[in-house]
Amino acid sequence: MGAKTEGGVEMAKIDLNRIPMPKQSPEERIKNFKEVAQGYTEEMAKKEAARCLQCKTHPCVSGCPVNNDIPGFIKAIKDGDMVEAVRILKRTNALPGICGRVCPQEKQCEAVCTLAKKNAPIGIGYLERYVADWARAHPDKVPKDEIAPPTGKKVAVVGSGPAGLTCAADLTKMGHRVTIFDALHYAGGVLMYGIPEFRLPKDIVQAEVDYVASLGVEIRLDTVIGRMVTVDELLKKYDAVFLGTGAGLPMFLNIPGENLNGIYSANEFLTRINLMKAYLFPEYDTPVKKGKKAAIIGGGNVAMDAARCAKRIGYEEVYVVYRRSKAEMPARKEEVENAEEEGIIFKFLVNPKRFIGDEKGWVRAMECYEMMLGEPDASGRPKPIPKPNSDFTMEVDTVIVALGTSPNPLVSSTTPGLETTKHGTVVADENTGKTKKERVWAGGDIVTGAATVISAMGAGKRAAKSIDDFLRGH
Amino acid sequence: MQENKHEQDNCACKGKEVIWPECKFQIIKKEKLAQNINLWEVSAPLIAERARAGQFVMVRIHDKGERIPLTLADWDSKKGTITLVFMEVGKTTREMGLLKECDCVPDLIGPLGTPTHVEKFGTVVCVGGGVGVAPAFAVARAMKEAGNRVITIMGARTKSLLFWEDKMRKVSDEVIVTTDDGSYCRKGVVTEPLKEVISREKVDLVFAVGPAIMMKFCASTTKPFNVKTIVSLNPIMVDGTGMCGCCRVTVGNETKFACVHGPDFDAHLVNWDEFMARQRIYIDEEKLSLQLWEQKQKGV
């Protein structure tokens, strides 16, 4: 038996009992905005860490977009050396509390974990979160980051989302002086306005932002680059500029009735709830409509977030209407499961045709087609085609359009020399983030279109490296 | 939550009483222009430097506050200040009315929106209704500076609500004042003199800003005369930078975001019924919010 090995480790020692994440029960959590996943206890973390095979090939590291030393920090947890675990993680990842919560580990590090072959990958995300939460609870014990001697170079980072924060943190550690500019009144970008409290608590985002600021990054809020100051003006005062303004422009269906009252973009619905705390109205001043029946159009993570928010603010029936089938849904499996547990009703292979309003201009119903799947389209997924004579009407009082977002043109349209694609994304080198404009780098959703937090962080990191090379004259 | 750190050296509140813990934009001057209508002159050097007629700022006055858009009434780039005029109508504007000189506004974001298109058109009629007289002033001045003949029509419900007639006279070739109740100057609404002016002479452009209903009627007044008419819309906004689409408006069958494509649009192409319905989305919530606040103020 002992002869069979996997990743250089004897299979006999393998423990396939992945420790599940403790969660609030669905009945309980749909009544509050508190975090669903409650985090490992020390005992759970050590037990899960002990399952790691510490394989020599460590495929998990290359599965991570920022190449965290995963076996390293897991070993430190197992050994009970939390200070070391923090030190290892922070070396490559400025925002572990965020990644541990919102990374799609099942598609990255955990997908390639040696134990994934046995359907029991290590809970890498859960352990990462455990380390980050420990660090937050023990600020005195967290080792200070090493900062390289000052280079005298200045970098402007536009946008304080995952790409900007990562880029700024890395550049600061490399000895450069960094200023982050953000248009909103809080830093964090999509981490603040987009991802809901129950998935990513805002005090955790703030703690990570504070950490980046503590490295010496200056954060200037309420500053809209492109309106208040242009990129060309930044270039006069800074040696380099990094654009990490994300994909903030919501897409709509462009079908009749879409501007009726009660129809939101997911961006608006989520911004009201997350950034402006409309779920606490009237204690907070920004309201959000609390109807009875909501339909969310789309099948991504944002659609799941919007649906679960709607449930929590008191909608009785919440539908996710998606034009393809469950298999094609871009949302994380875990989030779809969470939504299902919370009583969200999925309508697959359905697409709205038009919205019907009442005499006061409020949406009251949605006329839909049933869809069927055809040949793969440009995205590689089967193309949804309306079934003939399949029209039906769904009564709803709220619609949330979650079709995706594209970059806000405010920066690109005011920056001559910055090349963009027909989708509005900025053209930048994949490996370095260098744009067609001199001394300007870009990364994250502004380059890729809406993607994940961690891929934006990876882009921020690569750009930081390239900017550092440039500033040092390499 | 972390707030922006002000720059100690050029912050206007340096050496003055600081009431907001993380001050940034200090109210240099506060003036009551009319009953419920206030003027703030706020230190905001970057915004003042960039400001152009027709643009707006987003204002947020405390940690639990909402973000509301206010169109710029005036600015002074040398002094580094901007002037905002607002009417106390809901909870936020009532709270704003309680702020005093030396108080700081934590968040002021701008200048946002596409500036009003200003060039030498010839004769321009600027119509300002109610609190809309303030942004109309900025546009009238810009039009005058561009070499236009400017005729200003300003209206208010009653004499005590009227302000800035003197300022308007300085930048206009002709000023017509109306009050709904006839308590001052001409009795009636702004559309009557508007119709007379465009009937009597060639007008190249009409610019109107004020309550939605007034702008709608200005549009229907000028339409038969085929006079190009621009309105400055004031929809509900959340971020004000093109991120949420709350401010979307149908203009000639196309959906536009007032915060980035506007706030100025061709009045003859705006879907007014939809626009006015969208302004009322939160009317119940606004009432509740104000009611609870009033009770709290009274100590109930």
Side-chain angles (χ1 to χ4, degrees), chain A residues 142-350:
Chain A
V142 176
K144 278 258 173 281
D145 290 273
E146 278 174 36
I147 308 243
T151 59
K153 302 287 183 183
K154 287 163 76 187
V155 183
V157 169
V158 185
S160 64
L165 287 175
T166 305
C167 187
D170 279 15
L171 284 168
T172 305
K173 288 189 203 165
M174 293 165 180
H176 310 296
R177 268 189 64 194
V178 181
T179 307
I180 295 182
F181 297 89
D182 198 278
L184 290 172
H185 56 268
Y186 291 134
V190 72
L191 306 168
M192 273 292 182
Y193 74 75
I195 303 176
E197 181 78 19
F198 55 81
R199 222 153 58 80
L200 180 62
K202 299 309 142 212
D203 57 354
I204 290 184
V205 179
Q206 191 59 51
E208 304 270 35
V209 168
D210 291 346
Y211 160 74
V212 172
S214 77
L215 295 173
V217 175
E218 183 197 7
I219 302 179
R220 296 184 63 156
L221 302 172
D222 293 339
T223 310
V224 185
I225 301 301
R227 283 279 187 228
M228 250 171 152
V229 183
T230 62
V231 171
D232 281 330
E233 286 165 325
L234 288 177
L235 286 169
K236 285 181 198 152
K237 291 189 181 168
Y238 294 87
D239 300 293
V241 172
F242 174 77
L243 303 174
T245 50
L249 190 74
M251 293 188 212
F252 284 93
L253 290 149
N254 296 315
I255 59 173
E258 200 165 17
N259 295 344
L260 285 165
N261 287 359
I263 303 183
Y264 290 97
S265 73
N267 257 15
E268 180 186 352
F269 190 72
L270 291 172
T271 299
R272 284 180 179 273
I273 290 174
N274 302 324
L275 180 74
M276 307 307 295
K277 304 233 180 296
Y279 65 96
L280 298 174
F281 176 86
E283 186 200 338
Y284 281 73
D285 291 337
T286 305
V288 68
K289 275 289 163 194
K290 294 175 188 176
K292 288 194 170 68
K293 276 177 133 180
I296 289 85
I297 318 294
N301 287 321
V302 174
M304 299 306 116
D305 285 346
R308 298 172 70 197
C309 281
K311 195 78 191 180
R312 281 165 176 74
I313 61 173
Y315 280 84
E316 288 162 17
E317 285 173 43
V318 179
Y319 295 89
V320 166
V321 174
Y322 180 53
R323 62 189 183 142
R324 290 188 172 95
S325 73
K326 190 172 181 176
E328 289 84 28
M329 269 178 102
R332 277 186 79 184
K333 198 169 147 249
E334 188 182 333
E335 299 309 328
V336 177
E337 283 166 8
N338 279 330
E340 282 172 335
E341 281 174 15
E342 289 168 15
I344 309 295
I345 307 157
F346 287 81
K347 294 264 188 194
F348 294 112
L349 292 164
V350 171

Side-chain angles (χ1 to χ4, degrees), chain A residues 183-187 192-193 202 206 209-210 213 218-224 227-230 233 248-250 252 258-265 267-268 271-272 275-277 281-290 360-362 408 410, chain B residues 1-4 7 24-25 46-47 50 55 60 62-67 91-92 95 106-115 236 238-239 241-246 248-250 255 257 259-260 274 277-278 280-282 284-285 288-289 292:
Chain A
L184 290 172
H185 56 268
Y186 291 134
M192 273 292 182
Y193 74 75
K202 299 309 142 212
Q206 191 59 51
V209 168
D210 291 346
E218 183 197 7
I219 302 179
R220 296 184 63 156
L221 302 172
D222 293 339
T223 310
V224 185
R227 283 279 187 228
M228 250 171 152
V229 183
T230 62
E233 286 165 325
L249 190 74
F252 284 93
E258 200 165 17
N259 295 344
L260 285 165
N261 287 359
I263 303 183
Y264 290 97
S265 73
N267 257 15
E268 180 186 352
T271 299
R272 284 180 179 273
L275 180 74
M276 307 307 295
K277 304 233 180 296
F281 176 86
E283 186 200 338
Y284 281 73
D285 291 337
T286 305
V288 68
K289 275 289 163 194
K290 294 175 188 176
K360 285 185 174 164
W362 284 85
N408 191 323
L410 216 49
Chain B
M1 289 285 195
Q2 171 208 328
E3 288 290 353
N4 226 351
E7 294 187 341
K24 192 177 169 199
F25 304 103
L46 262 180
I47 303 176
R50 291 297 141 116
Q55 289 189 298
R60 180 172 168 271
H62 55 68
D63 251 9
K64 293 181 177 176
E66 59 182 341
R67 293 166 66 103
K91 185 202 172 216
T92 298
E95 284 182 301
D107 299 295
L108 201 62
I109 303 118
L112 298 170
T114 306
I236 302 172
V238 184
D239 64 288
T241 62
M243 212 179 85
C244 79
C246 177
R248 61 198 194 276
V249 41
T250 304
T255 294
F257 287 10
C259 66
V260 287
E274 177 191 284
R278 290 191 66 81
R280 289 190 296 264
I281 295 179
Y282 295 105
D284 296 337
E285 289 81 2
L288 174 71
S289 194
L292 292 172

Side-chain angles (χ1 to χ4, degrees), chain A residues 353 368-373 384-392:
Chain A
K353 184 181 171 191
C368 303
Y369 301 108
E370 280 180 35
M371 309 294 278
M372 52 191 187
L373 295 178
I385 309 161
K387 265 190 205 169
N389 305 317
S390 65
D391 301 22
F392 68 100

Side-chain angles (χ1 to χ4, degrees), chain B residues 229-241:
Chain B
T229 303
I230 300 295
V231 283
S232 172
L233 299 183
N234 51 342
I236 302 172
M237 292 184 187
V238 184
D239 64 288
T241 62

